[in-house]
Amino acid sequence: FPSHDTANGLIAWCVMHIPADTSDNNKEASTQIFIHCDAVHSEIILPITSHDISFRDLISHRLNDSLSEQVKYVSFAWGDLHFFQNTPRWEDLTAINALRAAIGVDSTALHVTPLMYEPDASQNISCRVSAENFRRLASFIEAYISRQDDEAEFVHGLHYGENDLFIVSKGIYSMFYNCNSWVNDALHYAGCPASVWTIFPAGIVEQYPKQNQ
C-alpha cells in the first residue's frame, strides 16, 4: 500500500488537474491580466489602474510621484513572511526555512512589484476579465492587506530590487495553501480558468493549454 505521503501527493496531483467552473464569467472582458509561473512559484500581474480601480496608493510608499506615473502594471505574490525575509533567491533556501513555511508558524506578506512595461505575453499566461470581475479580483487582494488606521502595513527595510515592497498580509501559509493556491484563488475571483485547488504552478498552467504550447 502507498504511504500517507504518497497518497496525499497523488490526491494533490489529481485535484490540480480538475478545472473549476468559471465558464461565461468574462463575456464582456475588457482588461487583460497576466499570470507568471516558474517551476515552483506563481504571481499575478494587473494593470496599475483599470476602470475605477487603482493600486497607485500601494506603490507610492516606495516610488515618488514621477516614477509612480511611469508604472503600467503591478505584480502581486503572496507568501510566508519569514521565507520572504530569508530566501530572496532560491539558492538561499534552507531546509529550516522550507519547514517553517510548510507548517505555517509565521506571518504572511504580499510582495508587490511595480512594472514600467507590459508583461511579455510569450513569458506569461494571460486572461481577459470584465470590469465587474476586475473589481472582484481587486477586492480579493485588498482582503489580504493588513491595515492600521486604514493605512497598509508595510514591511520596512525588506525589498529585493529598487522599486518592490512588501506588505504585511492576512492568511496562513502552509503546505496545503501556498503562493500558487493564492494565485489560483485570485483567478477564481477574476472568473479566469483555474483549478479546483492546487499547490503547484502546473495546476494553473494546465488550465491554459492554448498558451502552454
Side-chain angles (χ1 to χ4, degrees), residues 59-137:
I59 64 171
S60 63
H61 177 75
R62 278 281 281 165
L63 302 181
N64 59 39
D65 291 343
S66 176
L67 280 176
S68 177
E69 289 302 317
Q70 298 177 43
V71 175
K72 296 182 177 180
Y73 285 80
V74 59
S75 169
F76 293 94
W78 180 84
D80 179 89
L81 177 55
H82 181 270
F83 192 92
F84 279 138
Q85 290 171 322
N86 293 277
T87 317
R89 300 168 300 177
W90 286 116
E91 51 264 39
D92 299 318
L93 178 63
T94 66
I96 293 296
N97 288 341
L99 178 61
R100 286 184 62 143
I103 62 178
V105 298
D106 297 301
S107 301
T108 55
L110 280 169
H111 184 201
V112 182
T113 305
L115 304 175
M116 312 295 184
Y117 52 85
E118 180 172 328
D120 185 345
S122 68
Q123 301 296 318
N124 300 279
I125 299 165
S126 66
C127 177
R128 288 196 173 274
V129 302
S130 66
E132 178 183 355
N133 281 339
F134 189 82
R135 294 186 187 100
R136 282 169 49 83
L137 175 55

Side-chain angles (χ1 to χ4, degrees), residues 18-25 187-189 191-196 207:
I18 302 174
D21 183 11
T22 56
S23 58
D24 299 326
N25 282 349
L187 294 173
H188 276 277
Y189 274 77
C192 291
S195 298
V196 170
Q207 307 307 318

